[in-house]
Amino acid sequence: MRLILFLIGAVLLAACGQQAVNSPYLTDQAQENILFTAFTQRSPKYLDPASSYSSDETPFTYSIYEPLYGYHYLKRPYELIARTAERVVEPYYLDAAGQRLAADAPVEQIAQSVYEIPLKKGILYQPHPAFAKDEAGQYRYYPITPEQLKNKYAITDFQEMGTRELTAHDYVYGLRRLASPRVVSPIYAFLAEHIVGMQAYGEALREKSKQLDKTQWLDLRQIGFEGVEAVDDFTLRIRVQGKYPQFSYWLAMTFTAPIPWEVDRFYHQPQMAEHDLSLNTWPVGTGPYMLTESIRNRRHVLSRNPNFRGEPYPCEGEPGDEAAGLLKDCGLPTPFIDQVVFQLEKESVPLLGKFLQGYYDIPQIERGEYGVAMTVAAEDSPEKAALYKERGLDLRTLAESQLFYFGFNWLDPVVGAGETPEQAEKNRYLRQALSIAFDWEQFVTIFQNDQAQVAHGPLPPGVRGYQPLPQGYNPYVYELEQGVVKRKSLDQAKALLAKAGYPDGRDAQTGAPLILYFDSAGGMGSSAMLDWMRRQLQQLGVQLEIRATDYNRFQDKMQRGVAQMFMWGWVADYPDAENFLFLLYGPHARAHGGGENATNYQSPEYDALFEQMRYLDDGPEKDAVIAKMVAVVQKDAPWMFGYVPNSGGVYQQWVANAKPTQMVRNTLQYLRIDASLRAQKQAEWNQPVWWPLWVLGAVLFIIVGIAWHLVRQREKQIAKQEH
């Protein structure tokens, strides 16, 4: 009886409650200046900037660390801007004798490019125990005692904190650290090819490390090299071999972030690893945010760095940004948000469910597929379109700096270069005919749900040198009629096929059918996409056979240069044309040198232009050379240029200043939240349905009444029998 009464009371109490029972927050958190988002895999593995190279780590690393440079948040094409540097500098050049050269000196005279970068003064590190000192000026936690480390598994467990000013010496230390044998860095080998003396420095550090016990700290202040040095406390000098204009882009990546020697020493103390205290778990930077909570595979929290100087929000962008409301915060100090909470969601269904309930402001910070997927869902389902509109979701997609292409192996006798000028011309006609027949507009509609842009050349949007339509159309595959770009007809493709020596898809001399081979990784020989490819060639009378293998076998065939045709893709490391055009540079052929030229394309004209372009600074001359290079490969057609997939974002209506981007990684700095609107919408969208509980309560009340009545009758009967 008491249990039943208790249940009734609980039902009535729940029905009287005002807070939504499905809220994942504490009572007032929805009203606070906090952004809520999710992560779906594991916790970030590497938050050490020397090691981090995964996209799921970038929301943390680029919010905590500050490289010298960054990218303008709103402008497209992407523009380098200064972060901790006073400005983006132009290098000066030295010859082999160390004499300074003119800015327009011939590239063959340039032995070194010297980047002398002044830093902003007054930039402070986040509070951290590595900087804490006692009254005598001694470091409080170095050397650390077992008692001091007891029960400390997070930086917030330390009572004393300190800070100091950022200096050029911290960038020197960070770059030296990339060469340390005690640090795993995926970028060291690349930078060692370009920074003067870095390769030899790495070898010297390996020898030095062998002389020390593994528990001993390797103090990188004691060993330096010529390529990276501090001229003074606020001037950094980096020497690059020869001329390499793209080097500036690497200074916008967190690989080159500053590392204070105090932090490196602090984390290298005994038992720190056992307490999970390291740069990989508790990074230290000068950026707008700092990590204040980290529960592995569950929850991570970025909080406003109280020492951050407050960089102003940009006041200009690309056309349309002002109309989209992206310039309303012009000049205001960033960041706007106090905390960013990352919560683990192992499955996408509950993640999107909570997002639609208003409990996540952005599904995932670093993932661009949500905007694309929800845009497609809205187009396919009127019900979802109505729901998204009712929720006021901000859905945006855009073509980003990546490209998928269909490659022809230049070493193949049928689709490749050809051994004679006559055969080379015929093979080119064949590639052009196939390029016309492959209807990439249809491919994008079917397999990309119209969430991609058909490519007309090797450069995607956002990269300097890219030309939008109609200016950048491919004249060998398309026609321009009254300003409209149209794919050439199948009759034109068939005419080219006949000129190639294959009228109606048969060899003009033998009558044998033309059979081409597409190499596919992952055993996808019967997939809908491959069937579609077969049908494209059947329009010309050409047969396509699929050679499906596992990925390792496919890689081996690519390495040996025996795959006839294939599909490949590339995502930009930095927004310079060189990062895509090098994919067709002859000396980078995969079959000859293991480079990224997967088609093994060879063109003396293209290679000469590439060698000219790669050393040019941005400007009209470089743009003109890029245009010539694009024209060469449009004619030669070593690729069908394929498509540029869309990326995008989806944001709640109370998230301001959101702009999808691939290159800008410190986006959290610019977002703003209307917390009161969020709380209002959460209350509207999550109204509890109490009538089932009232019904349950009524049923329980009736049951209690019946039970009470039966008990009373039983008691009366017993009383009568006793009398």
Side-chain angles (χ1 to χ4, degrees):
M1 179 67 69
R2 290 180 180 178
L3 176 60
I4 293 175
L5 291 173
F6 174 78
L7 290 173
I8 293 175
V11 168
L12 295 176
L13 182 62
C16 294
Q18 298 299 313
Q19 186 180 358
V21 295
N22 63 340
S23 174
Y25 309 145
L26 298 176
T27 305
D28 298 323
Q29 279 192 317
Q31 298 270 12
E32 297 179 12
N33 188 24
I34 301 173
L35 186 144
F36 295 92
T37 188
F39 63 101
T40 59
Q41 302 297 321
R42 54 173 174 77
S43 289
K45 184 176 181 180
Y46 295 114
L47 296 181
D48 184 334
S51 305
S52 178
Y53 205 20
S54 177
S55 61
D56 65 335
E57 296 157 358
T58 56
F60 299 92
T61 55
Y62 281 83
S63 296
I64 294 169
Y65 298 108
E66 288 190 290
L68 293 157
Y69 301 156
Y71 292 104
H72 194 285
Y73 180 53
L74 300 177
K75 289 184 179 180
R76 306 292 185 274
Y78 294 103
E79 177 184 305
L80 273 180
I81 61 170
R83 287 192 72 180
T84 60
E86 285 279 2
R87 61 186 180 276
V88 176
V89 304
E90 294 294 331
Y92 62 84
Y93 306 118
L94 303 178
D95 63 17
Q99 298 299 310
R100 193 157 179 164
L101 298 170
D104 59 352
V107 66
E108 59 270 13
Q109 294 181 12
I110 299 173
Q112 290 184 11
S113 301
V114 183
Y115 293 78
E116 203 150 295
I117 305 170
L119 302 184
K120 297 172 183 175
K121 296 181 180 179
I123 296 177
L124 298 177
Y125 281 99
Q126 67 181 68
H128 194 272
F131 303 119
K133 294 183 179 180
D134 60 20
E135 294 76 7
Q138 302 299 312
Y139 288 99
R140 287 189 178 274
Y141 300 111
Y142 186 87
I144 198 165
T145 64
E147 185 62 29
Q148 286 177 309
L149 197 54
K150 186 178 180 180
N151 297 324
K152 291 181 173 62
Y153 295 91
I155 292 305
T156 50
D157 293 334
F158 290 84
Q159 183 176 359
E160 301 294 333
M161 299 285 175
T163 186
R164 70 162 173 81
E165 189 173 14
L166 171 74
T167 71
H169 302 284
D170 301 325
Y171 284 99
V172 172
Y173 198 93
L175 286 165
R176 288 178 181 177
R177 193 167 167 271
L178 295 176
S180 172
R182 300 185 176 187
V183 176
V184 177
S185 179
I187 203 63
Y188 164 67
F190 174 83
L191 289 181
E193 292 179 3
H194 291 283
I195 298 179
V196 173
M198 195 171 196
Q199 186 74 48
Y201 179 69
E203 295 170 1
L205 285 184
R206 279 191 289 274
E207 293 302 316
K208 177 67 175 177
S209 182
K210 290 177 183 177
Q211 300 170 14
L212 300 175
D213 185 272
K214 289 184 178 181
T215 61
Q216 290 181 278
W217 174 50
L218 179 58
D219 187 354
L220 301 179
R221 294 175 299 169
Q222 307 303 319
I223 313 172
F225 66 106
E226 177 190 9
V228 180
E229 56 184 332
V231 178
D232 55 45
D233 286 348
F234 298 99
T235 308
L236 176 68
R237 180 184 291 152
I238 303 176
R239 300 175 184 268
V240 174
Q241 296 181 18
K243 185 175 182 180
Y244 180 43
Q246 292 76 24
F247 182 75
S248 292
Y249 292 113
W250 293 97
L251 300 180
M253 299 182 186
T254 50
F255 291 121
T256 59
I259 298 293
W261 66 268
E262 298 97 327
V263 171
D264 190 38
R265 183 192 63 178
F266 173 84
Y267 281 133
H268 197 76
Q269 297 183 85
Q271 298 185 348
M272 282 285 181
E274 288 86 343
H275 285 244
D276 207 21
L277 296 172
S278 71
L279 276 172
N280 278 324
T281 52
W282 293 96
V284 185
T286 62
Y289 291 101
M290 53 189 285
L291 192 64
T292 54
E293 183 180 338
S294 183
I295 305 174
R296 189 175 295 277
N297 298 324
R298 181 180 168 190
R299 173 184 162 98
H300 304 282
V301 177
L302 290 174
S303 299
R304 183 191 294 269
N305 174 6
N307 296 335
F308 187 65
R309 59 200 177 278
E311 288 289 316
Y313 186 87
C315 290
E316 54 183 339
E318 64 176 336
D321 282 350
E322 185 172 8
L326 290 171
L327 299 181
K328 289 183 179 179
D329 288 328
C330 163
L332 296 180
T334 62
F336 299 116
I337 296 170
D338 294 334
Q339 279 192 338
V340 183
V341 175
F342 298 80
Q343 193 78 26
L344 176 65
E345 291 286 352
K346 294 183 178 180
E347 303 293 338
S348 61
V349 172
L351 191 163
L352 289 177
K354 290 178 183 178
F355 175 72
L356 290 172
Q357 290 174 300
Y359 294 130
Y360 285 125
D361 305 311
I362 303 172
Q364 281 185 266
I365 297 295
E366 79 285 359
R367 302 290 288 273
E369 65 264 31
Y370 289 98
V372 174
M374 295 183 76
T375 298
V376 171
E379 292 172 351
D380 292 343
S381 168
E383 291 80 11
K384 287 186 177 179
L387 175 62
Y388 297 166
K389 183 178 180 180
E390 184 268 329
R391 290 288 191 261
L393 298 182
D394 183 4
L395 284 164
R396 288 190 242 171
T397 63
L398 73 163
E400 266 292 3
S401 300
Q402 52 185 314
L403 181 73
F404 285 89
Y405 63 87
F406 187 107
F408 299 104
N409 184 5
W410 217 243
L411 303 179
D412 185 83
V414 178
V415 300
E419 295 183 359
T420 66
E422 180 183 10
Q423 189 61 46
E425 185 178 40
K426 287 185 175 182
N427 288 5
R428 184 172 68 248
Y429 289 144
L430 172 61
R431 294 189 300 272
Q432 291 174 357
L434 298 177
S435 298
I436 294 171
F438 264 70
D439 190 339
W440 288 100
E441 286 78 12
Q442 187 183 86
F443 180 95
V444 163
T445 297
I446 297 173
F447 300 107
Q448 298 295 313
N449 293 296
D450 283 324
Q451 293 301 312
Q453 175 179 309
V454 175
H456 285 247
L459 299 179
V463 172
R464 186 176 184 120
Y466 166 80
Q467 289 290 328
L469 298 180
Q471 297 95 323
Y473 86 101
N474 183 349
Y476 299 94
V477 179
Y478 295 84
E479 295 175 319
L480 187 62
E481 295 181 2
Q482 299 180 343
V484 178
V485 176
K486 297 174 60 178
R487 181 173 290 273
K488 289 185 176 183
S489 68
L490 280 175
D491 288 339
Q492 290 168 293
K494 290 176 181 178
L496 285 170
L497 191 64
K499 291 173 69 174
Y502 303 101
D504 298 321
R506 291 184 174 273
D507 190 299
Q509 295 180 351
T510 67
L514 175 59
I515 303 174
L516 299 178
Y517 300 92
F518 180 82
D519 282 270
S520 171
M524 295 175 57
S526 61
S527 72
M529 186 181 77
L530 298 178
D531 288 339
W532 178 87
M533 290 182 177
R534 290 190 184 98
R535 290 194 297 272
Q536 303 304 296
L537 294 194
Q538 285 172 359
Q539 299 175 103
L540 301 179
V542 177
Q543 299 179 32
L544 180 66
E545 290 194 7
I546 308 301
R547 298 190 293 203
T549 61
D550 61 50
Y551 191 68
N552 288 338
R553 173 65 176 157
F554 175 75
Q555 287 277 48
D556 178 65
K557 293 173 76 172
M558 294 296 294
Q559 199 72 31
R560 293 186 292 116
V562 296
Q564 187 179 63
M565 301 187 303
F566 57 91
M567 279 195 71
W568 209 266
W570 188 258
V571 180
D573 291 309
Y574 46 85
D576 189 271
E578 182 261 355
N579 195 232
F580 284 90
L581 297 177
F582 90 108
L583 299 172
L584 291 162
Y585 180 50
H588 290 169
R590 174 155 300 199
H592 299 311
E596 294 295 344
N597 179 356
T599 59
N600 305 299
Y601 174 63
Q602 302 286 329
S603 167
E605 180 184 7
Y606 182 90
D607 290 349
L609 289 168
F610 180 84
E611 288 163 6
Q612 179 185 357
M613 180 276 304
R614 71 190 306 183
Y615 299 118
L616 291 174
D617 298 313
D618 287 347
E621 183 182 2
K622 182 176 180 178
D623 293 343
V625 174
I626 291 172
K628 290 179 181 178
M629 297 175 69
V630 171
V632 169
V633 293
Q634 284 177 334
K635 179 181 179 180
D636 281 350
W639 295 353
M640 284 190 249
F641 296 107
Y643 64 96
V644 177
N646 281 359
S647 181
V650 55
Y651 314 94
Q652 298 285 6
Q653 58 184 283
W654 51 80
V655 178
N657 301 332
K659 184 171 183 176
T661 174
Q662 179 181 319
M663 289 293 165
V664 183
R665 299 294 192 176
N666 57 319
T667 56
L668 290 173
Q669 179 175 343
Y670 303 105
L671 301 180
R672 183 164 47 78
I673 293 289
D674 185 341
S676 60
L677 177 60
R678 174 174 59 194
Q680 174 192 332
K681 292 301 179 182
Q682 285 179 2
E684 289 178 12
W685 299 342
N686 297 278
Q687 288 290 329
V689 180
W690 294 119
W691 67 261
L693 292 179
W694 286 106
V695 171
L696 177 61
V699 170
L700 290 174
F701 185 80
I702 292 171
I703 292 173
V704 169
I706 293 172
W708 181 81
H709 180 70
L710 292 174
V711 168
R712 291 292 298 164
Q713 283 188 330
R714 177 67 174 166
E715 289 175 348
K716 288 180 180 180
Q717 290 177 355
I718 293 172
K720 288 180 179 180
Q721 292 173 358
E722 291 177 350
H723 291 290

